[in-house]
Amino acid sequence: MIFATILAGGSGSRMGVTEKPKQFLTLGEKPILIHTIEKFALNDKFDEIIVLTPKEWISHTKDLINRYIPDEKITVIESGNLRIDTVKNAMDYIKENHDSPDNIIVTHDAVRPFVTHRIIEENIQATMEHGACNTIVPATDTIVRSVEGDFVDEIPNRAELYQGQTPQSFKLERLEELYAKLDENQRETLTDACKIFTLNNEPVAIVEGEVSNIKITYPYDLKVANFILKE
């Protein structure tokens, strides 16, 4: 079975909004979250779409889905405190309700509403073939490394650098096995699920992303997203 997991556990602090998380802000005429879910709901390869959101927003999320996308295959569950905790909640839900060695999980940021059908399809295919994949685009700016934040320590070769996007997709059974090997410090500091594989020298295939597959994090991003939507 193939599962889409929409990670909607963020608080939106960098957006400067306090009354609700950024995934519930309006883009065009609908919440950002709804735009994102719709991209996955249109793909008939998914057996279930799991939306993970803070406990206090579960009821609101269900109401939005019933209003815009009344689809029985969409499930809303509680997110975790950290991103990796949210992914773990999705893993646990799938294992409890649909345990199978062939399960595939496609994880995606709730605030990346412009993911394309091609990217989703290629994530599924790459995961079937290689076990894990990450959606990335080449870095366009020079990347500077600074350990303390005061001086430049290194300027890596830009030709070898990429910017990570989502989806990130995995064969669920292997993801669970590698997650179980993480120590407490690794679990607390992980910000990227693919790193679970790279820490264990497991291959992660590359899916080419899109410049338009932006993550709406700051107020400027929302302005850009509205422009993209109009175009």
Side-chain angles (χ1 to χ4, degrees), residues 132-194:
C133 72
N134 194 1
T135 305
I136 64 175
V137 293
T140 55
D141 293 324
T142 296
I143 305 299
V144 176
R145 180 174 179 268
S146 174
V147 176
E148 300 295 334
D150 296 317
F151 298 95
V152 173
D153 293 306
E154 182 186 3
I155 300 179
N157 182 2
R158 189 175 66 186
E160 300 174 352
L161 300 176
Y162 296 82
Q163 295 168 226
Q165 299 185 337
T166 60
Q168 295 182 336
S169 305
F170 314 94
K171 286 187 176 178
L172 185 56
E173 185 174 61
R174 189 57 179 151
L175 179 62
E176 289 173 332
E177 290 170 353
L178 296 179
Y179 178 89
K181 295 171 65 175
L182 295 174
D183 60 38
E184 185 175 350
N185 180 64
Q186 289 172 327
R187 292 178 185 178
E188 290 179 354
T189 58
L190 269 178
T191 59
D192 188 290
C194 280

Side-chain angles (χ1 to χ4, degrees), residues 118-139 159-170 194 198 202-210:
R118 175 195 62 80
I119 290 176
I120 294 172
E121 285 287 323
E122 291 186 8
N123 262 259
I124 294 171
Q125 187 61 38
T127 305
M128 287 179 172
E129 294 179 9
H130 305 288
C133 72
N134 194 1
T135 305
I136 64 175
V137 293
E160 300 174 352
L161 300 176
Y162 296 82
Q163 295 168 226
Q165 299 185 337
T166 60
Q168 295 182 336
S169 305
F170 314 94
C194 280
T198 59
E202 296 259 346
V204 178
I206 289 174
V207 170
E208 183 180 352
E210 300 278 357

Side-chain angles (χ1 to χ4, degrees), residues 81-105:
N81 292 326
L82 303 173
R83 182 185 184 88
I84 196 62
D85 297 330
T86 298
V87 174
K88 181 64 165 58
N89 284 2
M91 291 161 54
D92 290 344
Y93 170 84
I94 295 170
K95 188 174 183 64
E96 181 179 344
N97 294 278
H98 310 282
D99 193 20
S100 167
D102 300 319
N103 284 337
I104 286 176
I105 182 171

Side-chain angles (χ1 to χ4, degrees), residues 40-58:
F40 292 85
L42 289 170
N43 191 310
D44 60 9
K45 285 189 172 71
F46 291 108
D47 295 283
E48 188 169 1
I49 298 169
I50 305 163
V51 182
L52 297 105
T53 193
K55 184 177 182 179
E56 62 271 25
W57 290 94
I58 287 178

